[in-house]
Amino acid sequence: MNTAKTVRVVRGKCLVTDGPFAETKEQLGGFIIIEAADIDEAIAIAAEIPVGWLGCVEVRPLPENWPPMEAQMSA
């Protein structure tokens, strides 16, 4: 099940498409982990990220078991 969404802001309007946006001409510029109640809140937050005005922001949920137990134990 693909739950990724691609968020773009075009002329001040938030455009959301289903699925990731992966093309060979695209590059990963970094990532941000946010906490949101649901996918709609995550999309609203992504629409405010400035890079979305120039390109796109991919929104994906983290796995249910995030962070991994090893990371929790070392913190």
Side-chain angles (χ1 to χ4, degrees), residues 6-70:
T6 299
V7 179
R8 289 182 182 80
V9 177
V10 178
R11 290 184 222 106
K13 184 174 180 179
C14 179
L15 304 174
V16 180
T17 54
D18 290 334
F21 184 73
E23 289 188 11
T24 56
K25 66 179 181 179
E26 299 299 318
Q27 296 180 6
L28 175 64
F31 65 92
I32 300 170
I33 297 177
I34 62 164
E35 186 172 340
D38 55 29
I39 192 74
D40 294 326
E41 182 180 4
I43 289 169
I45 293 168
E48 297 297 319
I49 297 172
V51 75
W53 307 333
L54 301 172
C56 64
V57 175
E58 205 170 283
V59 176
R60 295 175 178 260
L62 289 172
E64 296 268 336
N65 61 347
W66 185 265
M69 187 58 75
E70 303 84 45

